Amino acid sequence: MGNIENFVRNLIRKYGTRSPFELCEKMNIKILFVDLPEKVNGFFLNSKMNSSILINKNLSPAQRKVICAHELGHALLHNCVNTLDYQDNNSHYIEKLENEADKFSKILLGHQ
């Protein structure tokens, strides 16, 4: 994604919100709060049938919001990528994807 900042600003303008939860609702991305391992905060799943963000239900509301924004970044910037396929072989590529999702999240939530 060439310019994440412009992408996020256009998204906010189009949908009239910075809330990652509202954006997911408006874009038909399901959010599921589930019991995940302690070190897993959340992840994005994309299938032909639907897109979902799974968030660790043990996180605080503030943490859930940040994780949702981060995973929404993956959903919108990297929706064709299954990071589970790359984890062992391409750590540089995964780091790039994570940095982009972090940047998306910070801009969306106004934490630039």
Side-chain angles (χ1 to χ4, degrees):
M1 180 61 51
N3 194 332
I4 295 172
E5 190 168 348
N6 284 339
F7 179 78
V8 174
R9 286 196 173 128
N10 288 334
L11 187 70
I12 293 165
R13 191 173 319 127
K14 178 178 180 179
Y15 291 100
T17 184
R18 285 182 170 273
S19 167
F21 300 110
E22 289 179 30
L23 289 169
C24 287
E25 183 179 336
K26 291 179 181 195
M27 291 186 278
N28 264 350
I29 299 172
K30 295 181 195 273
I31 300 172
L32 304 169
F33 297 99
V34 296
D35 198 15
L36 295 172
E38 187 177 328
K39 294 186 179 195
V40 179
N41 292 326
F43 57 93
F44 169 68
L45 286 175
N46 190 24
S47 72
K48 292 179 183 178
M49 301 300 285
N50 58 39
S51 298
S52 302
I53 292 174
L54 283 73
I55 299 174
N56 191 326
K57 71 179 185 178
N58 299 308
L59 299 176
S60 72
Q63 290 171 312
R64 289 178 179 189
K65 185 176 182 179
V66 171
I67 297 304
C68 187
H70 175 92
E71 297 306 330
L72 180 59
H74 284 304
L76 299 178
L77 302 174
H78 315 129
N79 65 345
C80 294
V81 175
N82 182 357
T83 56
L84 296 175
D85 292 339
Y86 291 96
Q87 278 182 334
D88 294 332
N89 302 336
N90 206 332
S91 61
H92 179 69
Y93 182 64
I94 295 298
E95 183 178 344
K96 178 182 181 291
L97 298 179
E98 291 301 321
N99 288 339
E100 288 177 352
D102 283 344
K103 183 173 182 178
F104 177 95
S105 175
K106 287 177 184 176
I107 296 167
L108 179 64
L109 299 175
H111 302 141
Q112 304 170 357

